[in-house]
PDB file of all heavy atoms in Angstrom:
ATOM      1  N   GLU B 777      88.103  98.904 102.809  1.00  0.00           N
ATOM      2  CA  GLU B 777      87.479  97.865 103.604  1.00  0.00           C
ATOM      3  C   GLU B 777      86.617  96.998 102.701  1.00  0.00           C
ATOM      4  O   GLU B 777      85.933  97.505 101.811  1.00  0.00           O
ATOM      5  CB  GLU B 777      86.590  98.485 104.689  1.00  0.00           C
ATOM      6  CG  GLU B 777      87.354  99.293 105.710  1.00  0.00           C
ATOM      7  CD  GLU B 777      88.173  98.419 106.637  1.00  0.00           C
ATOM      8  OE1 GLU B 777      87.742  97.276 106.904  1.00  0.00           O
ATOM      9  OE2 GLU B 777      89.234  98.866 107.102  1.00  0.00           O
ATOM     10  N   GLU B 778      86.648  95.695 102.953  1.00  0.00           N
ATOM     11  CA  GLU B 778      85.783  94.800 102.199  1.00  0.00           C
ATOM     12  C   GLU B 778      84.915  94.025 103.169  1.00  0.00           C
ATOM     13  O   GLU B 778      85.357  93.677 104.268  1.00  0.00           O
ATOM     14  CB  GLU B 778      86.622  93.853 101.339  1.00  0.00           C
ATOM     15  CG  GLU B 778      87.385  94.617 100.264  1.00  0.00           C
ATOM     16  CD  GLU B 778      88.149  93.736  99.325  1.00  0.00           C
ATOM     17  OE1 GLU B 778      87.526  92.848  98.722  1.00  0.00           O
ATOM     18  OE2 GLU B 778      89.367  93.931  99.214  1.00  0.00           O
ATOM     19  N   ASP B 779      83.727  93.736 102.742  1.00  0.00           N
ATOM     20  CA  ASP B 779      82.876  92.871 103.552  1.00  0.00           C
ATOM     21  C   ASP B 779      82.046  91.984 102.638  1.00  0.00           C
ATOM     22  O   ASP B 779      81.767  92.369 101.499  1.00  0.00           O
ATOM     23  CB  ASP B 779      81.995  93.704 104.500  1.00  0.00           C
ATOM     24  CG  ASP B 779      80.792  94.299 103.811  1.00  0.00           C
ATOM     25  OD1 ASP B 779      80.916  95.390 103.237  1.00  0.00           O
ATOM     26  OD2 ASP B 779      79.737  93.624 103.833  1.00  0.00           O
ATOM     27  N   PRO B 780      81.721  90.784 103.091  1.00  0.00           N
ATOM     28  CA  PRO B 780      82.174  90.273 104.383  1.00  0.00           C
ATOM     29  C   PRO B 780      83.658  89.910 104.357  1.00  0.00           C
ATOM     30  O   PRO B 780      84.254  89.832 103.292  1.00  0.00           O
ATOM     31  CB  PRO B 780      81.306  89.029 104.561  1.00  0.00           C
ATOM     32  CG  PRO B 780      81.074  88.549 103.164  1.00  0.00           C
ATOM     33  CD  PRO B 780      80.950  89.796 102.326  1.00  0.00           C
ATOM     34  N   GLN B 781      84.239  89.681 105.506  1.00  0.00           N
ATOM     35  CA  GLN B 781      85.628  89.224 105.551  1.00  0.00           C
ATOM     36  C   GLN B 781      85.730  87.800 105.038  1.00  0.00           C
ATOM     37  O   GLN B 781      86.745  87.422 104.451  1.00  0.00           O
ATOM     38  CB  GLN B 781      86.160  89.296 106.984  1.00  0.00           C
ATOM     39  CG  GLN B 781      86.359  90.712 107.480  1.00  0.00           C
ATOM     40  CD  GLN B 781      87.036  90.749 108.835  1.00  0.00           C
ATOM     41  OE1 GLN B 781      86.915  89.806 109.624  1.00  0.00           O
ATOM     42  NE2 GLN B 781      87.759  91.812 109.102  1.00  0.00           N
ATOM     43  N   ALA B 782      84.684  87.015 105.278  1.00  0.00           N
ATOM     44  CA  ALA B 782      84.674  85.629 104.821  1.00  0.00           C
ATOM     45  C   ALA B 782      83.262  85.261 104.389  1.00  0.00           C
ATOM     46  O   ALA B 782      82.281  85.760 104.945  1.00  0.00           O
ATOM     47  CB  ALA B 782      85.166  84.689 105.915  1.00  0.00           C
ATOM     48  N   LEU B 783      83.189  84.389 103.394  1.00  0.00           N
ATOM     49  CA  LEU B 783      81.904  84.005 102.814  1.00  0.00           C
ATOM     50  C   LEU B 783      81.985  82.551 102.394  1.00  0.00           C
ATOM     51  O   LEU B 783      82.935  82.155 101.703  1.00  0.00           O
ATOM     52  CB  LEU B 783      81.623  84.893 101.601  1.00  0.00           C
ATOM     53  CG  LEU B 783      80.332  84.716 100.823  1.00  0.00           C
ATOM     54  CD1 LEU B 783      79.130  84.957 101.725  1.00  0.00           C
ATOM     55  CD2 LEU B 783      80.313  85.679  99.645  1.00  0.00           C
ATOM     56  N   SER B 784      80.987  81.769 102.803  1.00  0.00           N
ATOM     57  CA  SER B 784      80.959  80.361 102.458  1.00  0.00           C
ATOM     58  C   SER B 784      79.621  80.060 101.795  1.00  0.00           C
ATOM     59  O   SER B 784      78.562  80.336 102.376  1.00  0.00           O
ATOM     60  CB  SER B 784      81.143  79.520 103.719  1.00  0.00           C
ATOM     61  OG  SER B 784      81.230  78.161 103.397  1.00  0.00           O
ATOM     62  N   ILE B 785      79.651  79.530 100.559  1.00  0.00           N
ATOM     63  CA  ILE B 785      78.423  79.259  99.820  1.00  0.00           C
ATOM     64  C   ILE B 785      78.513  77.902  99.149  1.00  0.00           C
ATOM     65  O   ILE B 785      79.599  77.313  99.046  1.00  0.00           O
ATOM     66  CB  ILE B 785      78.159  80.339  98.749  1.00  0.00           C
ATOM     67  CG1 ILE B 785      79.320  80.392  97.751  1.00  0.00           C
ATOM     68  CG2 ILE B 785      77.930  81.700  99.387  1.00  0.00           C
ATOM     69  CD1 ILE B 785      79.077  81.327  96.578  1.00  0.00           C
ATOM     70  N   GLN B 786      77.367  77.431  98.663  1.00  0.00           N
ATOM     71  CA  GLN B 786      77.318  76.179  97.924  1.00  0.00           C
ATOM     72  C   GLN B 786      77.592  76.439  96.446  1.00  0.00           C
ATOM     73  O   GLN B 786      77.278  77.514  95.919  1.00  0.00           O
ATOM     74  CB  GLN B 786      75.945  75.526  98.083  1.00  0.00           C
ATOM     75  CG  GLN B 786      75.615  75.101  99.505  1.00  0.00           C
ATOM     76  CD  GLN B 786      76.473  73.927  99.970  1.00  0.00           C
ATOM     77  OE1 GLN B 786      76.843  73.057  99.175  1.00  0.00           O
ATOM     78  NE2 GLN B 786      76.786  73.904 101.256  1.00  0.00           N
ATOM     79  N   GLU B 787      78.154  75.460  95.803  1.00  0.00           N
ATOM     80  CA  GLU B 787      78.400  75.541  94.359  1.00  0.00           C
ATOM     81  C   GLU B 787      77.074  75.847  93.650  1.00  0.00           C
ATOM     82  O   GLU B 787      76.017  75.291  93.999  1.00  0.00           O
ATOM     83  CB  GLU B 787      78.970  74.217  93.863  1.00  0.00           C
ATOM     84  CG  GLU B 787      79.843  74.338  92.644  1.00  0.00           C
ATOM     85  CD  GLU B 787      80.645  73.075  92.363  1.00  0.00           C
ATOM     86  OE1 GLU B 787      80.192  71.980  92.751  1.00  0.00           O
ATOM     87  OE2 GLU B 787      81.731  73.183  91.763  1.00  0.00           O
ATOM     88  N   GLY B 788      77.125  76.746  92.672  1.00  0.00           N
ATOM     89  CA  GLY B 788      75.926  77.118  91.929  1.00  0.00           C
ATOM     90  C   GLY B 788      75.256  78.377  92.455  1.00  0.00           C
ATOM     91  O   GLY B 788      74.496  79.029  91.728  1.00  0.00           O
TER      92      GLY B 788
END
Side-chain angles (χ1 to χ4, degrees):
Chain B
E777 296 288 329
E778 295 184 56
D779 79 274
Q781 290 187 332
L783 181 60
S784 185
I785 60 174
Q786 296 291 327
E787 208 167 27

